[in-house]
Every structure is written in C-alpha cells, then in structure tokens.
Amino acid sequence: MGWSIFAVLLTTAAVRLSAVEVAARLYDLLVPQAGLNAQDCGAVGFHGAYSHHLGTLAATLARWDEADEHLADAAAIHERMGARAFLARTRLEWARMLLARRRPGDAERARDLLGQALGTARELGLANVERRAVELPPSQ
C-alpha cells in the first residue's frame, strides 16, 4: 500500500533536484510499469501514467529517445482516458524535454506542446502548470 504515491513523490523530487543516481534507480524500478497507471491501493488516488514519470526520469538522465517515447505514450494514455489535467502536465514536461534535447524541429514541437498545455491549464484552472509553462524559457 502506498508504493505508487511513494514512487511518484520520489520521482518528482529526483527530477526537480536533478538527482541523477536516484533517477537512474527509480527508472529501473518503474520501467516494468510502463503503460500502466499509477494509483493508490483501492483506486483512491490517481497519479497519472507511469510513462509520464518514466519520461521525466529519462529526461533527467538525458536519455532523450526514451524520454520522448515515454512522454508520447503518457500523452496517448491521458488523452484516451480524458485525463486532461494529466495530459497538460505531460505536454509541459514533454516540451521541457524537447527544449533540453535541442534537435532540429524540437523547439517548434515544444512551442506547440506548451501552447496546448497552457490552454488546458488556463481552462481547467491549473495554476501550477500555467505558471511553469509561462516560466519555461523558450530556448532552454
């Protein structure tokens, strides 16, 4: 019980602190959960698709192709579920990854994803997502 929320909280901390060793360990622990949803026992709390969290961990580890794949998977899962708030968060993190990766076409894709995330954030009143999207440097 509680493993899911604990893993999600640790992932969030590792990503925000750029704790590479912790991110690598968490990635290895969570990769078997790819494609599944993170939720507490009894479905009381939903924490998004594990693919979202794997994508942010992979981006922290500069595993760009894996991050791109996980975040695309998370976006598809959230879209199918109608989980718009989680879709906005995934699009924000996907844009952040693309801006960090800096391959040809990434900046344009990131702008599109940020626009979608920002629109949803404003529509749903997701102040934190909106703030983080607006603060994200366009040429990070």
Side-chain angles (χ1 to χ4, degrees):
M1 287 188 355
W3 184 88
S4 180
I5 186 62
F6 184 65
V8 168
L9 290 172
L10 279 176
T11 295
T12 302
V15 168
R16 296 246 169 102
L17 297 171
S18 298
V20 175
E21 286 184 33
V22 175
R25 289 183 192 170
L26 285 167
Y27 184 88
D28 291 342
L29 284 171
L30 294 180
V31 80
Q33 306 302 318
L36 301 176
N37 289 319
Q39 57 190 64
D40 290 338
C41 191
V44 176
F46 175 68
H47 308 289
Y50 276 111
S51 293
H52 169 92
H53 306 291
L54 286 163
T56 61
L57 290 168
T60 299
L61 299 168
R63 297 180 186 172
W64 306 123
D65 292 336
E66 292 169 59
D68 197 26
E69 191 174 303
H70 287 305
L71 292 166
D73 184 47
I77 290 168
H78 293 147
E79 194 159 17
R80 275 194 311 271
M81 294 177 66
R84 295 178 64 219
F86 286 95
L87 180 57
R89 290 180 181 108
T90 296
R91 286 176 171 158
L92 171 64
E93 294 305 324
W94 200 357
R96 182 185 312 282
M97 183 281 296
L98 291 168
L99 291 171
R101 184 173 73 174
R102 296 182 179 187
R103 288 187 186 160
D106 281 353
E108 293 79 17
R109 236 173 110 205
R111 275 194 297 277
D112 183 46
L113 289 165
L114 276 175
Q116 292 174 44
L118 190 56
T120 302
R122 288 179 173 155
E123 183 181 338
L124 299 180
L126 305 172
N128 191 38
V129 173
E130 181 178 357
R131 178 185 54 77
R132 290 176 62 217
V134 168
E135 290 175 354
L136 191 60
S139 60
Q140 183 185 38

